[in-house]
PDB file of all heavy atoms in Angstrom:
ATOM      1  N   HIS Q 423       4.802  50.996  13.748  1.00  0.00           N
ATOM      2  CA  HIS Q 423       3.941  51.102  14.934  1.00  0.00           C
ATOM      3  C   HIS Q 423       4.749  50.796  16.198  1.00  0.00           C
ATOM      4  O   HIS Q 423       4.727  51.570  17.161  1.00  0.00           O
ATOM      5  CB  HIS Q 423       2.760  50.129  14.781  1.00  0.00           C
ATOM      6  CG  HIS Q 423       1.778  50.166  15.897  1.00  0.00           C
ATOM      7  ND1 HIS Q 423       0.508  50.637  15.738  1.00  0.00           N
ATOM      8  CD2 HIS Q 423       1.877  49.782  17.186  1.00  0.00           C
ATOM      9  CE1 HIS Q 423      -0.138  50.538  16.893  1.00  0.00           C
ATOM     10  NE2 HIS Q 423       0.678  50.012  17.792  1.00  0.00           N
ATOM     11  N   GLU Q 424       5.466  49.685  16.183  1.00  0.00           N
ATOM     12  CA  GLU Q 424       6.226  49.301  17.379  1.00  0.00           C
ATOM     13  C   GLU Q 424       7.399  50.240  17.623  1.00  0.00           C
ATOM     14  O   GLU Q 424       7.688  50.581  18.771  1.00  0.00           O
ATOM     15  CB  GLU Q 424       6.679  47.846  17.295  1.00  0.00           C
ATOM     16  CG  GLU Q 424       5.541  46.843  17.199  1.00  0.00           C
ATOM     17  CD  GLU Q 424       4.421  47.036  18.213  1.00  0.00           C
ATOM     18  OE1 GLU Q 424       4.674  47.547  19.335  1.00  0.00           O
ATOM     19  OE2 GLU Q 424       3.271  46.687  17.890  1.00  0.00           O
ATOM     20  N   LEU Q 425       8.066  50.682  16.588  1.00  0.00           N
ATOM     21  CA  LEU Q 425       9.159  51.639  16.776  1.00  0.00           C
ATOM     22  C   LEU Q 425       8.643  52.964  17.337  1.00  0.00           C
ATOM     23  O   LEU Q 425       9.322  53.597  18.155  1.00  0.00           O
ATOM     24  CB  LEU Q 425       9.902  51.869  15.459  1.00  0.00           C
ATOM     25  CG  LEU Q 425      10.809  50.727  15.001  1.00  0.00           C
ATOM     26  CD1 LEU Q 425      11.294  50.975  13.575  1.00  0.00           C
ATOM     27  CD2 LEU Q 425      11.990  50.543  15.955  1.00  0.00           C
ATOM     28  N   CYS Q 426       7.474  53.380  16.934  1.00  0.00           N
ATOM     29  CA  CYS Q 426       6.902  54.628  17.471  1.00  0.00           C
ATOM     30  C   CYS Q 426       6.596  54.506  18.960  1.00  0.00           C
ATOM     31  O   CYS Q 426       6.580  55.511  19.677  1.00  0.00           O
ATOM     32  CB  CYS Q 426       5.658  55.031  16.681  1.00  0.00           C
ATOM     33  SG  CYS Q 426       6.052  55.689  15.040  1.00  0.00           S
ATOM     34  N   HIS Q 427       6.396  53.295  19.432  1.00  0.00           N
ATOM     35  CA  HIS Q 427       6.214  53.101  20.879  1.00  0.00           C
ATOM     36  C   HIS Q 427       7.505  53.392  21.644  1.00  0.00           C
ATOM     37  O   HIS Q 427       7.472  53.599  22.852  1.00  0.00           O
ATOM     38  CB  HIS Q 427       5.732  51.683  21.189  1.00  0.00           C
ATOM     39  CG  HIS Q 427       4.265  51.516  21.005  1.00  0.00           C
ATOM     40  ND1 HIS Q 427       3.335  52.369  21.534  1.00  0.00           N
ATOM     41  CD2 HIS Q 427       3.566  50.563  20.332  1.00  0.00           C
ATOM     42  CE1 HIS Q 427       2.123  51.964  21.208  1.00  0.00           C
ATOM     43  NE2 HIS Q 427       2.237  50.874  20.474  1.00  0.00           N
ATOM     44  N   ARG Q 428       8.625  53.441  20.959  1.00  0.00           N
ATOM     45  CA  ARG Q 428       9.873  53.844  21.618  1.00  0.00           C
ATOM     46  C   ARG Q 428       9.816  55.321  21.991  1.00  0.00           C
ATOM     47  O   ARG Q 428      10.535  55.763  22.881  1.00  0.00           O
ATOM     48  CB  ARG Q 428      11.082  53.571  20.721  1.00  0.00           C
ATOM     49  CG  ARG Q 428      11.316  52.117  20.405  1.00  0.00           C
ATOM     50  CD  ARG Q 428      11.849  51.327  21.588  1.00  0.00           C
ATOM     51  NE  ARG Q 428      13.169  51.789  21.916  1.00  0.00           N
ATOM     52  CZ  ARG Q 428      13.579  52.073  23.167  1.00  0.00           C
ATOM     53  NH1 ARG Q 428      12.765  51.930  24.184  1.00  0.00           N
ATOM     54  NH2 ARG Q 428      14.799  52.499  23.368  1.00  0.00           N
ATOM     55  N   LYS Q 429       8.963  56.091  21.319  1.00  0.00           N
ATOM     56  CA  LYS Q 429       8.774  57.507  21.639  1.00  0.00           C
ATOM     57  C   LYS Q 429       7.570  57.711  22.546  1.00  0.00           C
ATOM     58  O   LYS Q 429       7.598  58.557  23.438  1.00  0.00           O
ATOM     59  CB  LYS Q 429       8.565  58.324  20.355  1.00  0.00           C
ATOM     60  CG  LYS Q 429       9.800  58.481  19.522  1.00  0.00           C
ATOM     61  CD  LYS Q 429       9.524  59.398  18.345  1.00  0.00           C
ATOM     62  CE  LYS Q 429      10.830  59.788  17.670  1.00  0.00           C
ATOM     63  NZ  LYS Q 429      10.607  60.730  16.572  1.00  0.00           N
ATOM     64  N   GLU Q 430       6.524  56.985  22.296  1.00  0.00           N
ATOM     65  CA  GLU Q 430       5.264  57.099  23.041  1.00  0.00           C
ATOM     66  C   GLU Q 430       4.785  55.695  23.369  1.00  0.00           C
ATOM     67  O   GLU Q 430       4.367  54.968  22.478  1.00  0.00           O
ATOM     68  CB  GLU Q 430       4.196  57.812  22.193  1.00  0.00           C
ATOM     69  CG  GLU Q 430       4.510  59.231  21.814  1.00  0.00           C
ATOM     70  CD  GLU Q 430       4.301  60.204  22.967  1.00  0.00           C
ATOM     71  OE1 GLU Q 430       3.482  59.913  23.871  1.00  0.00           O
ATOM     72  OE2 GLU Q 430       4.965  61.252  22.960  1.00  0.00           O
ATOM     73  N   MET Q 431       4.823  55.331  24.659  1.00  0.00           N
ATOM     74  CA  MET Q 431       4.389  53.983  25.051  1.00  0.00           C
ATOM     75  C   MET Q 431       2.872  53.948  25.277  1.00  0.00           C
ATOM     76  O   MET Q 431       2.383  53.440  26.285  1.00  0.00           O
ATOM     77  CB  MET Q 431       5.132  53.519  26.309  1.00  0.00           C
ATOM     78  CG  MET Q 431       6.574  53.145  26.067  1.00  0.00           C
ATOM     79  SD  MET Q 431       6.778  51.726  24.976  1.00  0.00           S
ATOM     80  CE  MET Q 431       6.426  50.379  26.080  1.00  0.00           C
ATOM     81  N   ASN Q 432       2.155  54.512  24.344  1.00  0.00           N
ATOM     82  CA  ASN Q 432       0.696  54.587  24.434  1.00  0.00           C
ATOM     83  C   ASN Q 432       0.159  54.753  23.017  1.00  0.00           C
ATOM     84  O   ASN Q 432       0.906  54.700  22.062  1.00  0.00           O
ATOM     85  CB  ASN Q 432       0.286  55.769  25.323  1.00  0.00           C
ATOM     86  CG  ASN Q 432       0.909  57.067  24.837  1.00  0.00           C
ATOM     87  OD1 ASN Q 432       0.818  57.413  23.665  1.00  0.00           O
ATOM     88  ND2 ASN Q 432       1.579  57.778  25.731  1.00  0.00           N
ATOM     89  N   HIS Q 433      -1.137  54.960  22.917  1.00  0.00           N
ATOM     90  CA  HIS Q 433      -1.764  55.214  21.619  1.00  0.00           C
ATOM     91  C   HIS Q 433      -2.400  56.602  21.616  1.00  0.00           C
ATOM     92  O   HIS Q 433      -3.538  56.776  21.200  1.00  0.00           O
ATOM     93  CB  HIS Q 433      -2.790  54.125  21.290  1.00  0.00           C
ATOM     94  CG  HIS Q 433      -2.165  52.805  20.969  1.00  0.00           C
ATOM     95  ND1 HIS Q 433      -2.296  51.709  21.781  1.00  0.00           N
ATOM     96  CD2 HIS Q 433      -1.372  52.419  19.949  1.00  0.00           C
ATOM     97  CE1 HIS Q 433      -1.624  50.691  21.255  1.00  0.00           C
ATOM     98  NE2 HIS Q 433      -1.045  51.096  20.142  1.00  0.00           N
ATOM     99  N   SER Q 434      -1.631  57.568  22.048  1.00  0.00           N
ATOM    100  CA  SER Q 434      -2.102  58.954  22.118  1.00  0.00           C
ATOM    101  C   SER Q 434      -2.114  59.589  20.724  1.00  0.00           C
ATOM    102  O   SER Q 434      -1.636  59.020  19.748  1.00  0.00           O
ATOM    103  CB  SER Q 434      -1.172  59.762  23.029  1.00  0.00           C
ATOM    104  OG  SER Q 434       0.133  59.816  22.445  1.00  0.00           O
ATOM    105  N   LYS Q 435      -2.631  60.801  20.660  1.00  0.00           N
ATOM    106  CA  LYS Q 435      -2.624  61.548  19.396  1.00  0.00           C
ATOM    107  C   LYS Q 435      -1.197  61.755  18.911  1.00  0.00           C
ATOM    108  O   LYS Q 435      -0.928  61.681  17.710  1.00  0.00           O
ATOM    109  CB  LYS Q 435      -3.327  62.898  19.563  1.00  0.00           C
ATOM    110  CG  LYS Q 435      -4.815  62.780  19.675  1.00  0.00           C
ATOM    111  CD  LYS Q 435      -5.465  64.154  19.785  1.00  0.00           C
ATOM    112  CE  LYS Q 435      -6.970  63.997  19.894  1.00  0.00           C
ATOM    113  NZ  LYS Q 435      -7.645  65.282  20.002  1.00  0.00           N
ATOM    114  N   ARG Q 436      -0.277  61.996  19.830  1.00  0.00           N
ATOM    115  CA  ARG Q 436       1.132  62.180  19.440  1.00  0.00           C
ATOM    116  C   ARG Q 436       1.707  60.903  18.834  1.00  0.00           C
ATOM    117  O   ARG Q 436       2.458  60.938  17.866  1.00  0.00           O
ATOM    118  CB  ARG Q 436       1.972  62.632  20.633  1.00  0.00           C
ATOM    119  CG  ARG Q 436       1.731  64.070  20.999  1.00  0.00           C
ATOM    120  CD  ARG Q 436       2.755  64.668  21.925  1.00  0.00           C
ATOM    121  NE  ARG Q 436       3.451  63.762  22.807  1.00  0.00           N
ATOM    122  CZ  ARG Q 436       3.656  63.974  24.099  1.00  0.00           C
ATOM    123  NH1 ARG Q 436       3.212  65.077  24.670  1.00  0.00           N
ATOM    124  NH2 ARG Q 436       4.315  63.113  24.824  1.00  0.00           N
ATOM    125  N   PHE Q 437       1.328  59.764  19.420  1.00  0.00           N
ATOM    126  CA  PHE Q 437       1.785  58.479  18.889  1.00  0.00           C
ATOM    127  C   PHE Q 437       1.312  58.315  17.445  1.00  0.00           C
ATOM    128  O   PHE Q 437       2.104  58.022  16.547  1.00  0.00           O
ATOM    129  CB  PHE Q 437       1.266  57.322  19.753  1.00  0.00           C
ATOM    130  CG  PHE Q 437       1.462  55.977  19.113  1.00  0.00           C
ATOM    131  CD1 PHE Q 437       2.678  55.324  19.201  1.00  0.00           C
ATOM    132  CD2 PHE Q 437       0.436  55.372  18.401  1.00  0.00           C
ATOM    133  CE1 PHE Q 437       2.872  54.086  18.590  1.00  0.00           C
ATOM    134  CE2 PHE Q 437       0.616  54.146  17.793  1.00  0.00           C
ATOM    135  CZ  PHE Q 437       1.840  53.498  17.885  1.00  0.00           C
ATOM    136  N   TRP Q 438       0.007  58.486  17.218  1.00  0.00           N
ATOM    137  CA  TRP Q 438      -0.550  58.286  15.879  1.00  0.00           C
ATOM    138  C   TRP Q 438      -0.017  59.309  14.891  1.00  0.00           C
ATOM    139  O   TRP Q 438       0.164  59.000  13.707  1.00  0.00           O
ATOM    140  CB  TRP Q 438      -2.073  58.277  15.915  1.00  0.00           C
ATOM    141  CG  TRP Q 438      -2.574  57.029  16.581  1.00  0.00           C
ATOM    142  CD1 TRP Q 438      -3.216  56.928  17.778  1.00  0.00           C
ATOM    143  CD2 TRP Q 438      -2.438  55.686  16.093  1.00  0.00           C
ATOM    144  NE1 TRP Q 438      -3.488  55.612  18.062  1.00  0.00           N
ATOM    145  CE2 TRP Q 438      -3.024  54.827  17.042  1.00  0.00           C
ATOM    146  CE3 TRP Q 438      -1.876  55.133  14.942  1.00  0.00           C
ATOM    147  CZ2 TRP Q 438      -3.068  53.446  16.875  1.00  0.00           C
ATOM    148  CZ3 TRP Q 438      -1.918  53.751  14.772  1.00  0.00           C
ATOM    149  CH2 TRP Q 438      -2.507  52.923  15.739  1.00  0.00           C
ATOM    150  N   ALA Q 439       0.273  60.514  15.352  1.00  0.00           N
ATOM    151  CA  ALA Q 439       0.869  61.527  14.471  1.00  0.00           C
ATOM    152  C   ALA Q 439       2.255  61.083  14.023  1.00  0.00           C
ATOM    153  O   ALA Q 439       2.648  61.314  12.870  1.00  0.00           O
ATOM    154  CB  ALA Q 439       0.935  62.878  15.185  1.00  0.00           C
ATOM    155  N   GLU Q 440       2.991  60.449  14.906  1.00  0.00           N
ATOM    156  CA  GLU Q 440       4.327  59.946  14.559  1.00  0.00           C
ATOM    157  C   GLU Q 440       4.228  58.801  13.550  1.00  0.00           C
ATOM    158  O   GLU Q 440       4.990  58.744  12.587  1.00  0.00           O
ATOM    159  CB  GLU Q 440       5.070  59.498  15.823  1.00  0.00           C
ATOM    160  CG  GLU Q 440       6.497  59.118  15.602  1.00  0.00           C
ATOM    161  CD  GLU Q 440       7.377  60.267  15.121  1.00  0.00           C
ATOM    162  OE1 GLU Q 440       7.013  61.447  15.279  1.00  0.00           O
ATOM    163  OE2 GLU Q 440       8.450  59.960  14.558  1.00  0.00           O
ATOM    164  N   VAL Q 441       3.295  57.881  13.774  1.00  0.00           N
ATOM    165  CA  VAL Q 441       3.087  56.790  12.814  1.00  0.00           C
ATOM    166  C   VAL Q 441       2.754  57.378  11.443  1.00  0.00           C
ATOM    167  O   VAL Q 441       3.329  56.984  10.424  1.00  0.00           O
ATOM    168  CB  VAL Q 441       1.968  55.832  13.286  1.00  0.00           C
ATOM    169  CG1 VAL Q 441       1.638  54.813  12.202  1.00  0.00           C
ATOM    170  CG2 VAL Q 441       2.362  55.109  14.574  1.00  0.00           C
ATOM    171  N   GLU Q 442       1.851  58.347  11.429  1.00  0.00           N
ATOM    172  CA  GLU Q 442       1.434  58.949  10.163  1.00  0.00           C
ATOM    173  C   GLU Q 442       2.565  59.741   9.495  1.00  0.00           C
ATOM    174  O   GLU Q 442       2.664  59.765   8.266  1.00  0.00           O
ATOM    175  CB  GLU Q 442       0.225  59.854  10.394  1.00  0.00           C
ATOM    176  CG  GLU Q 442      -0.394  60.353   9.117  1.00  0.00           C
ATOM    177  CD  GLU Q 442      -1.729  61.015   9.339  1.00  0.00           C
ATOM    178  OE1 GLU Q 442      -1.951  61.587  10.431  1.00  0.00           O
ATOM    179  OE2 GLU Q 442      -2.555  60.981   8.417  1.00  0.00           O
ATOM    180  N   ARG Q 443       3.425  60.344  10.287  1.00  0.00           N
ATOM    181  CA  ARG Q 443       4.565  61.066   9.718  1.00  0.00           C
ATOM    182  C   ARG Q 443       5.439  60.122   8.903  1.00  0.00           C
ATOM    183  O   ARG Q 443       5.894  60.454   7.810  1.00  0.00           O
ATOM    184  CB  ARG Q 443       5.399  61.716  10.835  1.00  0.00           C
ATOM    185  CG  ARG Q 443       6.640  62.471  10.331  1.00  0.00           C
ATOM    186  CD  ARG Q 443       7.519  62.959  11.459  1.00  0.00           C
ATOM    187  NE  ARG Q 443       8.214  61.895  12.164  1.00  0.00           N
ATOM    188  CZ  ARG Q 443       9.307  61.266  11.710  1.00  0.00           C
ATOM    189  NH1 ARG Q 443       9.832  61.577  10.550  1.00  0.00           N
ATOM    190  NH2 ARG Q 443       9.882  60.314  12.432  1.00  0.00           N
ATOM    191  N   VAL Q 444       5.652  58.926   9.425  1.00  0.00           N
ATOM    192  CA  VAL Q 444       6.524  57.953   8.759  1.00  0.00           C
ATOM    193  C   VAL Q 444       5.774  57.201   7.656  1.00  0.00           C
ATOM    194  O   VAL Q 444       6.326  56.959   6.582  1.00  0.00           O
ATOM    195  CB  VAL Q 444       7.112  56.959   9.790  1.00  0.00           C
ATOM    196  CG1 VAL Q 444       7.984  55.914   9.119  1.00  0.00           C
ATOM    197  CG2 VAL Q 444       7.894  57.708  10.863  1.00  0.00           C
ATOM    198  N   LEU Q 445       4.528  56.844   7.930  1.00  0.00           N
ATOM    199  CA  LEU Q 445       3.717  56.086   6.959  1.00  0.00           C
ATOM    200  C   LEU Q 445       2.362  56.785   6.795  1.00  0.00           C
ATOM    201  O   LEU Q 445       1.398  56.425   7.470  1.00  0.00           O
ATOM    202  CB  LEU Q 445       3.485  54.656   7.441  1.00  0.00           C
ATOM    203  CG  LEU Q 445       4.668  53.707   7.450  1.00  0.00           C
ATOM    204  CD1 LEU Q 445       4.269  52.362   8.029  1.00  0.00           C
ATOM    205  CD2 LEU Q 445       5.220  53.521   6.048  1.00  0.00           C
ATOM    206  N   PRO Q 446       2.265  57.748   5.912  1.00  0.00           N
ATOM    207  CA  PRO Q 446       1.018  58.496   5.758  1.00  0.00           C
ATOM    208  C   PRO Q 446      -0.204  57.623   5.445  1.00  0.00           C
ATOM    209  O   PRO Q 446      -1.321  57.975   5.806  1.00  0.00           O
ATOM    210  CB  PRO Q 446       1.311  59.456   4.600  1.00  0.00           C
ATOM    211  CG  PRO Q 446       2.796  59.574   4.571  1.00  0.00           C
ATOM    212  CD  PRO Q 446       3.330  58.260   5.052  1.00  0.00           C
ATOM    213  N   ASP Q 447       0.009  56.475   4.804  1.00  0.00           N
ATOM    214  CA  ASP Q 447      -1.109  55.592   4.443  1.00  0.00           C
ATOM    215  C   ASP Q 447      -1.267  54.420   5.410  1.00  0.00           C
ATOM    216  O   ASP Q 447      -1.779  53.365   5.032  1.00  0.00           O
ATOM    217  CB  ASP Q 447      -0.912  55.053   3.022  1.00  0.00           C
ATOM    218  CG  ASP Q 447      -0.903  56.161   1.985  1.00  0.00           C
ATOM    219  OD1 ASP Q 447      -1.547  57.202   2.222  1.00  0.00           O
ATOM    220  OD2 ASP Q 447      -0.249  55.986   0.946  1.00  0.00           O
ATOM    221  N   TYR Q 448      -0.870  54.593   6.668  1.00  0.00           N
ATOM    222  CA  TYR Q 448      -0.883  53.466   7.611  1.00  0.00           C
ATOM    223  C   TYR Q 448      -2.269  52.875   7.815  1.00  0.00           C
ATOM    224  O   TYR Q 448      -2.410  51.691   8.115  1.00  0.00           O
ATOM    225  CB  TYR Q 448      -0.268  53.870   8.955  1.00  0.00           C
ATOM    226  CG  TYR Q 448      -1.169  54.661   9.850  1.00  0.00           C
ATOM    227  CD1 TYR Q 448      -2.024  54.032  10.748  1.00  0.00           C
ATOM    228  CD2 TYR Q 448      -1.194  56.055   9.808  1.00  0.00           C
ATOM    229  CE1 TYR Q 448      -2.861  54.756  11.578  1.00  0.00           C
ATOM    230  CE2 TYR Q 448      -2.018  56.781  10.622  1.00  0.00           C
ATOM    231  CZ  TYR Q 448      -2.859  56.135  11.502  1.00  0.00           C
ATOM    232  OH  TYR Q 448      -3.693  56.853  12.312  1.00  0.00           O
ATOM    233  N   ARG Q 449      -3.310  53.687   7.643  1.00  0.00           N
ATOM    234  CA  ARG Q 449      -4.673  53.182   7.869  1.00  0.00           C
ATOM    235  C   ARG Q 449      -5.037  52.053   6.901  1.00  0.00           C
ATOM    236  O   ARG Q 449      -5.832  51.175   7.233  1.00  0.00           O
ATOM    237  CB  ARG Q 449      -5.676  54.316   7.768  1.00  0.00           C
ATOM    238  CG  ARG Q 449      -5.621  55.258   8.954  1.00  0.00           C
ATOM    239  CD  ARG Q 449      -6.576  56.438   8.789  1.00  0.00           C
ATOM    240  NE  ARG Q 449      -6.420  57.390   9.869  1.00  0.00           N
ATOM    241  CZ  ARG Q 449      -5.546  58.395   9.857  1.00  0.00           C
ATOM    242  NH1 ARG Q 449      -4.754  58.582   8.817  1.00  0.00           N
ATOM    243  NH2 ARG Q 449      -5.467  59.222  10.883  1.00  0.00           N
ATOM    244  N   GLU Q 450      -4.436  52.069   5.728  1.00  0.00           N
ATOM    245  CA  GLU Q 450      -4.659  50.992   4.757  1.00  0.00           C
ATOM    246  C   GLU Q 450      -4.154  49.659   5.319  1.00  0.00           C
ATOM    247  O   GLU Q 450      -4.798  48.621   5.173  1.00  0.00           O
ATOM    248  CB  GLU Q 450      -3.920  51.346   3.472  1.00  0.00           C
ATOM    249  CG  GLU Q 450      -4.477  50.730   2.228  1.00  0.00           C
ATOM    250  CD  GLU Q 450      -3.756  51.254   0.997  1.00  0.00           C
ATOM    251  OE1 GLU Q 450      -3.731  52.480   0.779  1.00  0.00           O
ATOM    252  OE2 GLU Q 450      -3.210  50.406   0.270  1.00  0.00           O
ATOM    253  N   ALA Q 451      -3.003  49.683   5.954  1.00  0.00           N
ATOM    254  CA  ALA Q 451      -2.447  48.466   6.560  1.00  0.00           C
ATOM    255  C   ALA Q 451      -3.289  48.021   7.747  1.00  0.00           C
ATOM    256  O   ALA Q 451      -3.519  46.821   7.922  1.00  0.00           O
ATOM    257  CB  ALA Q 451      -1.005  48.708   6.991  1.00  0.00           C
ATOM    258  N   GLU Q 452      -3.736  48.965   8.547  1.00  0.00           N
ATOM    259  CA  GLU Q 452      -4.620  48.613   9.665  1.00  0.00           C
ATOM    260  C   GLU Q 452      -5.878  47.923   9.148  1.00  0.00           C
ATOM    261  O   GLU Q 452      -6.330  46.923   9.711  1.00  0.00           O
ATOM    262  CB  GLU Q 452      -5.040  49.868  10.439  1.00  0.00           C
ATOM    263  CG  GLU Q 452      -4.054  50.339  11.442  1.00  0.00           C
ATOM    264  CD  GLU Q 452      -4.666  51.415  12.317  1.00  0.00           C
ATOM    265  OE1 GLU Q 452      -5.424  52.275  11.808  1.00  0.00           O
ATOM    266  OE2 GLU Q 452      -4.382  51.384  13.523  1.00  0.00           O
ATOM    267  N   ARG Q 453      -6.431  48.471   8.083  1.00  0.00           N
ATOM    268  CA  ARG Q 453      -7.641  47.903   7.487  1.00  0.00           C
ATOM    269  C   ARG Q 453      -7.380  46.485   7.006  1.00  0.00           C
ATOM    270  O   ARG Q 453      -8.179  45.573   7.225  1.00  0.00           O
ATOM    271  CB  ARG Q 453      -8.120  48.789   6.338  1.00  0.00           C
ATOM    272  CG  ARG Q 453      -9.506  48.497   5.841  1.00  0.00           C
ATOM    273  CD  ARG Q 453     -10.020  49.492   4.798  1.00  0.00           C
ATOM    274  NE  ARG Q 453      -9.766  50.878   5.169  1.00  0.00           N
ATOM    275  CZ  ARG Q 453      -8.946  51.720   4.497  1.00  0.00           C
ATOM    276  NH1 ARG Q 453      -8.332  51.314   3.413  1.00  0.00           N
ATOM    277  NH2 ARG Q 453      -8.770  52.948   4.911  1.00  0.00           N
ATOM    278  N   TRP Q 454      -6.226  46.271   6.376  1.00  0.00           N
ATOM    279  CA  TRP Q 454      -5.894  44.933   5.887  1.00  0.00           C
ATOM    280  C   TRP Q 454      -5.835  43.946   7.051  1.00  0.00           C
ATOM    281  O   TRP Q 454      -6.366  42.845   6.958  1.00  0.00           O
ATOM    282  CB  TRP Q 454      -4.564  44.948   5.126  1.00  0.00           C
ATOM    283  CG  TRP Q 454      -4.321  43.678   4.376  1.00  0.00           C
ATOM    284  CD1 TRP Q 454      -4.593  43.441   3.066  1.00  0.00           C
ATOM    285  CD2 TRP Q 454      -3.796  42.448   4.906  1.00  0.00           C
ATOM    286  NE1 TRP Q 454      -4.259  42.134   2.747  1.00  0.00           N
ATOM    287  CE2 TRP Q 454      -3.779  41.512   3.854  1.00  0.00           C
ATOM    288  CE3 TRP Q 454      -3.351  42.052   6.170  1.00  0.00           C
ATOM    289  CZ2 TRP Q 454      -3.323  40.201   4.022  1.00  0.00           C
ATOM    290  CZ3 TRP Q 454      -2.900  40.752   6.339  1.00  0.00           C
ATOM    291  CH2 TRP Q 454      -2.888  39.842   5.290  1.00  0.00           C
ATOM    292  N   LEU Q 455      -5.182  44.344   8.134  1.00  0.00           N
ATOM    293  CA  LEU Q 455      -5.085  43.452   9.298  1.00  0.00           C
ATOM    294  C   LEU Q 455      -6.459  43.145   9.893  1.00  0.00           C
ATOM    295  O   LEU Q 455      -6.721  42.013  10.298  1.00  0.00           O
ATOM    296  CB  LEU Q 455      -4.170  44.060  10.362  1.00  0.00           C
ATOM    297  CG  LEU Q 455      -2.682  43.868  10.126  1.00  0.00           C
ATOM    298  CD1 LEU Q 455      -1.878  44.658  11.149  1.00  0.00           C
ATOM    299  CD2 LEU Q 455      -2.297  42.395  10.160  1.00  0.00           C
ATOM    300  N   LYS Q 456      -7.318  44.144   9.940  1.00  0.00           N
ATOM    301  CA  LYS Q 456      -8.672  43.903  10.475  1.00  0.00           C
ATOM    302  C   LYS Q 456      -9.443  42.935   9.584  1.00  0.00           C
ATOM    303  O   LYS Q 456     -10.196  42.094  10.076  1.00  0.00           O
ATOM    304  CB  LYS Q 456      -9.432  45.217  10.616  1.00  0.00           C
ATOM    305  CG  LYS Q 456      -8.997  46.003  11.820  1.00  0.00           C
ATOM    306  CD  LYS Q 456      -9.760  47.296  11.956  1.00  0.00           C
ATOM    307  CE  LYS Q 456      -9.217  48.056  13.153  1.00  0.00           C
ATOM    308  NZ  LYS Q 456      -9.584  49.439  13.176  1.00  0.00           N
ATOM    309  N   GLU Q 457      -9.257  43.064   8.282  1.00  0.00           N
ATOM    310  CA  GLU Q 457      -9.991  42.214   7.347  1.00  0.00           C
ATOM    311  C   GLU Q 457      -9.400  40.820   7.203  1.00  0.00           C
ATOM    312  O   GLU Q 457     -10.127  39.863   6.952  1.00  0.00           O
ATOM    313  CB  GLU Q 457     -10.057  42.887   5.971  1.00  0.00           C
ATOM    314  CG  GLU Q 457     -10.920  44.126   5.952  1.00  0.00           C
ATOM    315  CD  GLU Q 457     -10.862  44.875   4.625  1.00  0.00           C
ATOM    316  OE1 GLU Q 457     -10.237  44.369   3.649  1.00  0.00           O
ATOM    317  OE2 GLU Q 457     -11.437  45.981   4.561  1.00  0.00           O
ATOM    318  N   HIS Q 458      -8.081  40.671   7.340  1.00  0.00           N
ATOM    319  CA  HIS Q 458      -7.425  39.393   7.035  1.00  0.00           C
ATOM    320  C   HIS Q 458      -6.645  38.784   8.197  1.00  0.00           C
ATOM    321  O   HIS Q 458      -6.185  37.642   8.082  1.00  0.00           O
ATOM    322  CB  HIS Q 458      -6.470  39.570   5.848  1.00  0.00           C
ATOM    323  CG  HIS Q 458      -7.147  40.085   4.626  1.00  0.00           C
ATOM    324  ND1 HIS Q 458      -7.961  39.317   3.840  1.00  0.00           N
ATOM    325  CD2 HIS Q 458      -7.154  41.325   4.065  1.00  0.00           C
ATOM    326  CE1 HIS Q 458      -8.427  40.035   2.837  1.00  0.00           C
ATOM    327  NE2 HIS Q 458      -7.946  41.264   2.957  1.00  0.00           N
TER     328      HIS Q 458
END
């Protein structure tokens, strides 16, 4: 997530597409952080 901000200093669709390109299951980690 933080490394992708080196490409996009925002949370745009392009940013999230880059996160997903590297970690296709990133939403699972987001869910864990929200829960724990």
Side-chain angles (χ1 to χ4, degrees):
H423 182 112
E424 299 312 331
L425 286 170
C426 286
H427 278 311
R428 296 287 294 133
K429 288 185 168 183
E430 297 283 334
M431 286 296 282
N432 54 51
H433 289 112
S434 64
K435 287 182 180 180
R436 286 194 333 226
F437 168 82
W438 289 112
E440 187 64 19
V441 173
E442 189 169 29
R443 179 187 70 78
V444 178
L445 290 177
D447 298 332
Y448 79 89
R449 288 176 185 88
E450 205 174 303
E452 277 190 321
R453 193 174 314 115
W454 192 96
L455 279 173
K456 283 180 183 164
E457 292 174 6
H458 303 285

